[in-house]
Amino acid sequence: MLNALVTLAAEPAGEEAHNPLLPAAYDIIWSAVCFVIIAVVVWRVALPRMAKLLDERSAAIEGNIAKADEAQRQAEAALEEYTAQLAEARREAGEIRESATQDGRKIVAEAKETAAAEAARITAGAHAQIEAERQTALVQLRSEVGTLAVDLAGNVIGETLTDDARANAVVDRFLAELEASEKAAK
């Protein structure tokens, strides 16, 4: 600033005073030419490249958005399919469980029937064996009682009873009377 004051004081008084805030005319003209050249270069070169770059970025962003939307649709479709498969698997598991329960009931019922049939067969066999043993014991008892009765009768009478047919008839009559008295007592 001091310099500007010194320069003003040194200028001749007859010349027109130059304003230090305004540039000279040749500076304004050359600045305007440079500005126009730079504006044309920016307008012709930089702006189209910037527009192209922005269009490419916009297309890339729109493509990514479309890809994301497609991926979202695929994810939703996969989720629906998974949910349907899960529901189907649960339904099949329920059917399998119900089938296994029914099979278990059938197996238990068959086992009970088999056990009941086996028990009935064993019981029938035991009854048959008991009846056979009873008949064997009855036959042995008749023969032993018959022999004892004949021997006792022979001792009472004092003679031996040698007629087997008569001795057997006496023994059979005695046992029949004994059975009849047993049945009447019941």
Side-chain angles (χ1 to χ4, degrees), residues 6-25:
V6 171
T7 308
L8 278 177
E11 279 186 18
E15 291 183 14
E16 186 179 318
H18 177 44
N19 187 353
L21 295 179
L22 290 178

Side-chain angles (χ1 to χ4, degrees), residues 11-98:
E11 279 186 18
E15 291 183 14
E16 186 179 318
H18 177 44
N19 187 353
L21 295 179
L22 290 178
Y26 65 87
D27 282 339
I28 292 174
I29 292 172
W30 283 112
S31 295
V33 168
C34 289
F35 178 76
V36 168
I37 292 173
I38 291 174
V40 167
V41 168
V42 166
W43 189 269
R44 293 282 186 171
V45 176
L47 282 180
R49 287 185 184 173
M50 289 294 281
K52 181 181 174 186
L53 179 67
L54 290 175
D55 288 343
E56 288 175 358
R57 287 191 105 186
S58 175
I61 290 171
E62 288 175 2
N64 288 340
I65 289 173
K67 287 178 186 177
D69 288 343
E70 181 63 27
Q72 179 69 25
R73 281 192 294 276
Q74 289 176 354
E76 288 172 358
L79 178 63
E80 288 176 10
E81 182 180 343
Y82 170 74
T83 304
Q85 288 176 351
L86 184 61
E88 179 67 20
R90 285 182 178 162
R91 185 190 59 77
E92 287 178 7
E95 289 175 0
I96 290 171
R97 195 173 333 138
E98 184 64 30

